[in-house]
Amino acid sequence: MHPDTNQPFQIVNAHKLYNEFIDKASQEQQQEKIKELYENMIIEPVYDMCFEDGEYLYMVDFILNEAPSNFKNLEKLIEDIETENINEAIIDALNKSSKLLSTEIETTVCVFPTVEEDVPAMVNVGSGKIIALYNEFYSEEEFKASIAHEYHHSVWTEKFFQPEDTSTVLDNLVFEGKAVVFERLVYPESSYTIPIYPSYILVFWEMIEPDLYKEDLERSLEILIGSGNLPYLYGYSEGYKMVKSYLDKNPDLKPIEWLGRSADEIIEEGEYLSNYR
């Protein structure tokens, strides 16, 4: 619990469940048996704390329904995980995040190990639920900043998510842009994994502008990660610059005040489109 705000936090070290699972799963030949062990020994014990009632459960389908297979590398990773250091980093990130943006619910961070290359580093499952997929490449700075990023998503979801609402590509860019801005407010001196491209390159903008008002999650993800000819994580960079332009014109706003501002309001009041005209 944060000593100043009295906001409750919870850490679930799910990685501690894996050694016994690996011992038993390594003896099985049938994938169905391995999946059953995974569900019973890893997912079921933590489901209520880490996943239940998550607004974005579809984002963690790969965790819930895909048992790991690279047991040797996974076992080595788990041996190298320093639980105390991880917990200290999580507490630091949650404490600093909650001082800038408070929440009325408990925030739970669940730590799972991963040796896969094509999975996100962290996922917000919904209000009060953050999944940290720990891998061997994490630095402490990156880990903390990522927690702050997902914490922002968690609080936004708690306060503004409506199941019937739909999101455009622009909404999703601004949604991620807000979280990038927030993580940099929490850790202003940190090094980051999200590159921010300072130039306004018209050729890239023209690739995404026709899609901005489409309700298309797949296209949103393509732009965010930088698919095709777009730069790496281009959508995160554009989203960040949209929000930053807005905040430069409204420097006295606190995070709770711009948390729920619409994407249209962000780019219009920030005069963002003028950068491409």
Side-chain angles (χ1 to χ4, degrees):
M1 181 174 291
H2 189 285
D4 298 327
T5 62
N6 292 323
Q7 293 184 176
F9 305 138
Q10 178 180 207
I11 300 172
V12 178
N13 295 122
H15 61 277
K16 291 185 175 182
L17 301 172
Y18 276 72
N19 283 328
E20 186 178 357
F21 160 72
I22 290 172
D23 287 342
K24 292 190 176 183
S26 298
Q27 301 172 30
E28 294 289 348
Q29 300 297 321
Q30 297 181 17
Q31 189 59 36
E32 284 302 314
K33 290 287 187 180
I34 294 174
K35 184 177 180 182
E36 183 178 342
L37 285 171
Y38 177 70
E39 291 172 352
N40 292 337
M41 300 180 71
I42 304 296
I43 299 302
E44 187 175 329
V46 301
Y47 188 86
D48 291 353
M49 296 175 286
C50 302
F51 302 103
E52 189 172 33
D53 297 326
E55 291 88 345
Y56 314 126
L57 268 182
Y58 64 90
M59 295 288 290
V60 288
D61 184 71
F62 68 97
I63 300 175
L64 294 174
N65 298 310
E66 297 178 19
S69 57
N70 194 337
F71 296 143
K72 183 177 180 180
N73 288 348
L74 192 60
E75 195 168 33
K76 183 179 184 304
L77 173 66
I78 293 168
E79 289 175 359
D80 293 338
I81 292 178
E82 297 179 358
T83 301
E84 184 175 348
N85 291 347
I86 288 177
N87 290 351
E88 288 177 357
I90 292 171
I91 291 169
D92 183 79
L94 293 177
N95 282 344
K96 289 179 178 176
S97 295
S98 66
K99 290 177 80 171
L100 289 178
L101 184 62
S102 63
T103 175
E104 299 174 3
I105 62 175
E106 182 176 66
T107 300
T108 299
V109 178
C110 300
V111 182
F112 287 80
T114 183
V115 293
E116 305 298 328
E117 296 181 356
D118 58 347
V119 299
M122 291 200 187
V123 184
N124 171 228
V125 185
S127 52
K129 289 178 166 55
I130 297 170
I131 304 297
L133 289 153
Y134 193 87
N135 64 64
E136 63 176 317
F137 304 109
Y138 256 133
S139 68
E140 184 175 334
E141 286 185 339
E142 177 188 354
F143 191 80
K144 289 179 178 180
S146 297
I147 291 287
H149 184 108
E150 301 304 331
Y151 176 88
H152 182 277
H153 287 334
S154 172
V155 177
W156 183 93
T157 302
E158 171 200 344
K159 297 184 183 300
F160 296 105
F161 176 81
Q162 296 294 329
E164 65 275 10
D165 287 351
T166 57
S167 298
T168 65
V169 170
L170 178 61
D171 291 331
N172 291 322
L173 297 188
V174 170
F175 180 71
E176 292 296 344
K178 288 177 180 177
V180 177
V181 168
F182 183 75
E183 70 177 74
R184 289 171 178 245
L185 288 174
V186 176
Y187 291 106
E189 304 302 322
S190 180
S191 57
Y192 306 99
T193 58
I194 302 293
I196 303 302
Y197 304 107
S199 300
Y200 298 90
I201 308 299
L202 184 60
V203 66
F204 296 141
W205 179 257
E206 289 178 339
M207 291 179 188
I208 74 167
E209 187 175 24
D211 300 325
L212 289 178
Y213 288 95
K214 293 180 180 178
E215 295 175 2
D216 188 335
L217 180 59
E218 183 176 350
R219 181 58 178 149
S220 297
L221 294 174
E222 289 174 352
I223 294 170
L224 284 167
I225 66 175
S227 293
N229 294 320
L230 293 172
Y232 175 63
L233 299 182
Y234 176 76
Y236 285 89
S237 176
E238 281 301 293
Y240 169 85
K241 291 192 294 183
M242 289 174 186
V243 177
K244 187 68 167 56
S245 294
Y246 172 79
L247 293 178
D248 285 345
K249 295 183 181 298
N250 298 275
D252 297 328
L253 290 181
K254 293 178 169 46
I256 190 61
E257 296 176 300
W258 50 262
L259 181 69
R261 298 290 166 89
S262 71
D264 283 335
E265 185 174 358
I266 293 289
I267 64 168
E268 288 171 9
E269 290 195 19
E271 300 178 355
Y272 192 72
L273 297 181
S274 65
N275 295 297
Y276 293 104
R277 290 172 179 161

